[in-house]
């Protein structure tokens, strides 16, 4: 199974380079590679949404419309 969910292959099907960030430690390396790659590059970022409730608990109630 493709760990990117096919997203990098989808980018490549359109002539772009597809890169994936799977964890925070990948950010600098993948972004450096993206900027060093000639032509269009699509960077897919996998997000772990399990802690979203913690984010919303810290947001001031008046900031939510």
């Amino acid at each position: 199974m493709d760990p990117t969910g096919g997203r990098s292959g989808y980018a490549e099907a359109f002539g772009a380079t597809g890169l994936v960030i799977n964890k925070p430690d990948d950010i600098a390396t993948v972004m450096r590679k993206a900027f060093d790659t000639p032509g269009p590059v699509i960077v897919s970022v996998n997000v772990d949404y399990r802690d979203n409730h913690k984010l919303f608990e810290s947001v001031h109630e008046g900031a939510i419309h």
Side-chain angles (χ1 to χ4, degrees):
M1 176 179 241
D2 180 359
T4 71
R7 291 179 301 272
S8 67
Y10 188 73
E12 292 165 5
F14 287 93
T17 298
L19 303 174
V20 180
I21 295 173
N22 288 305
K23 57 189 182 302
D25 291 342
D26 295 342
I27 295 170
T29 304
V30 171
M31 294 307 295
R32 192 172 304 110
K33 183 174 181 179
F35 285 114
D36 289 344
T37 300
V41 177
I42 297 174
V43 178
S44 175
V45 181
N46 291 322
V47 177
D48 181 354
Y49 292 102
R50 291 180 291 184
D51 290 329
N52 269 12
H53 67 281
K54 292 179 185 176
L55 172 65
F56 285 106
E57 289 170 1
S58 68
V59 174
H60 186 271
E61 188 173 312
I64 300 174
H65 301 287

